[in-house]
Amino acid sequence: NFYKRAKEVSILLKLFCYFHVKYRHKYNFEGGALMLHAGHFVMRHLSSFIVSFVTLTASTLFFEPHTLSVVAATAITYFSTASITKFIQKKKLLQQFQLSKAEYKHIHEQLQLAQSRLNILQKQFLRIRSVASFKHINELSRTSKRIINMVKKDPRRFYNAEQFFYAHLESAVTLVEKYSMLNTQPLKDPEIKMALQETTHTLDTVQQLIDNDLKQVLSSDIEHLKLEIDFAKLSANEQKKTFDIE
């Protein structure tokens, strides 16, 4: 009887591994948890627990309680349900944001790259001695972080800030690194001082570019707010005309 149960478990595990390997690439969205959050995680595992509990209860009606077959079936059901639920969640989010799988993957890669550059930028705080330079880097870091977080919440905003991800953030990091390196040199000859001044002026320009990137990311919200204001004004004027007639 033990060998019979063990054979059943072996067959179930082989079937699970076969379908997992065969279909994981087809149904796997590259990019990790770009848009999935803690709520999705809780719902995914809660549904898996409920389905596996039902499977466990049903299995005890056909198998001996606490057998390996029941345990294996319950485990396979749990992980299969979690995988399928995660696939459905991602598919719904892609449909919600009107993104293709390739777009999803590309945006995620750009977000990862931007986050790594932002981390490099923030590390420069420890190397800066000037208060003015510290404030400068802090402003760059704060604005860049806002853009990245907003794109994480709504990946469609990426297309309003492509220059930020492709060029502006990288330029800011490069300039700040060079500024930090020159600023920590014990030798302060006129050439180094001039290079520091030029770098500071260039950083001002890059800061303006990144500020404009943020405005572009917020452009849809600004337009929506203007429409809401115009609608509220129109409604107020119509209501005023009604009161005047009465």
Side-chain angles (χ1 to χ4, degrees):
N1 188 40
F2 172 79
Y3 290 108
K4 182 180 179 181
R5 299 303 181 195
K7 187 176 182 180
E8 291 174 355
V9 172
S10 177
I11 293 172
L12 287 171
L13 289 174
K14 286 180 179 178
L15 285 172
F16 175 76
C17 292
Y18 170 77
F19 286 108
H20 177 70
V21 172
K22 183 176 181 180
Y23 294 107
R24 65 179 178 178
H25 297 297
K26 182 178 179 181
Y27 296 117
N28 179 44
F29 287 113
E30 298 293 337
L34 170 62
M35 296 176 287
L36 297 182
H37 49 71
H40 291 105
F41 177 85
V42 173
M43 289 299 298
R44 181 164 65 249
H45 287 280
L46 180 62
S47 61
S48 298
F49 174 78
I50 293 172
V51 174
S52 60
F53 179 78
V54 172
T55 302
L56 175 63
T57 304
S59 298
T60 54
L61 300 176
F62 302 99
F63 299 98
E64 296 178 10
H66 308 296
T67 61
L68 292 175
S69 298
V70 173
V71 174
T74 303
I76 291 172
T77 301
Y78 185 92
F79 290 109
S80 299
T81 304
S83 298
I84 293 171
T85 306
K86 188 174 183 179
F87 162 72
I88 294 172
Q89 288 174 338
K90 287 187 175 182
K91 186 175 181 180
K92 285 184 177 180
L93 283 172
L94 291 184
Q95 291 174 346
Q96 174 186 342
F97 292 121
Q98 299 178 340
L99 293 171
S100 67
K101 182 180 176 181
E103 289 174 318
Y104 178 96
K105 180 180 178 181
H106 177 69
I107 293 172
H108 174 73
E109 289 173 349
Q110 292 299 318
L111 280 170
Q112 282 188 319
L113 185 58
Q115 187 62 55
S116 65
R117 286 171 175 164
L118 178 60
N119 293 339
I120 295 172
L121 184 65
Q122 292 174 333
K123 287 179 181 178
Q124 301 307 313
F125 284 126
L126 302 175
R127 303 179 62 186
I128 295 298
R129 301 174 184 176
S130 167
V131 175
S133 300
F134 185 89
K135 291 180 178 179
H136 214 148
I137 296 175
N138 181 60
E139 186 65 25
L140 279 169
S141 176
R142 190 163 59 103
T143 308
S144 299
K145 188 175 181 179
R146 286 189 64 188
I147 294 173
I148 292 171
N149 288 338
M150 291 180 72
V151 173
K152 282 181 179 179
K153 292 180 180 179
D154 186 354
R156 291 171 296 184
R157 296 179 186 268
F158 170 81
Y159 297 106
N160 292 333
E162 290 183 273
Q163 288 302 309
F164 168 80
F165 288 95
Y166 294 147
H168 297 162
L169 180 58
E170 182 180 9
S171 297
V173 172
T174 302
L175 287 169
V176 170
E177 283 185 312
K178 290 182 178 179
Y179 181 90
S180 301
M181 184 269 293
L182 290 174
N183 196 43
T184 54
Q185 298 302 314
L187 182 63
K188 299 296 183 182
D189 64 6
E191 187 176 354
I192 291 179
K193 290 181 179 180
M194 184 176 295
L196 287 171
Q197 290 176 355
E198 290 178 355
T199 304
T200 301
H201 292 318
T202 308
L203 278 173
D204 288 333
T205 303
V206 173
Q207 178 64 60
Q208 291 176 2
L209 291 173
I210 293 179
D211 287 341
N212 289 333
D213 292 332
L214 178 59
K215 290 178 182 178
Q216 288 298 318
V217 172
L218 293 169
S219 60
S220 59
D221 298 279
I222 295 172
E223 288 298 324
H224 185 266
L225 179 61
K226 288 180 179 179
L227 289 173
E228 290 292 335
I229 292 173
D230 291 340
F231 178 76
K233 288 181 178 178
L234 182 62
S235 299
N237 290 335
E238 291 293 331
Q239 189 174 13
K240 184 178 180 180
K241 290 179 181 178
T242 303
F243 287 147
D244 291 340
I245 293 173
E246 292 178 355

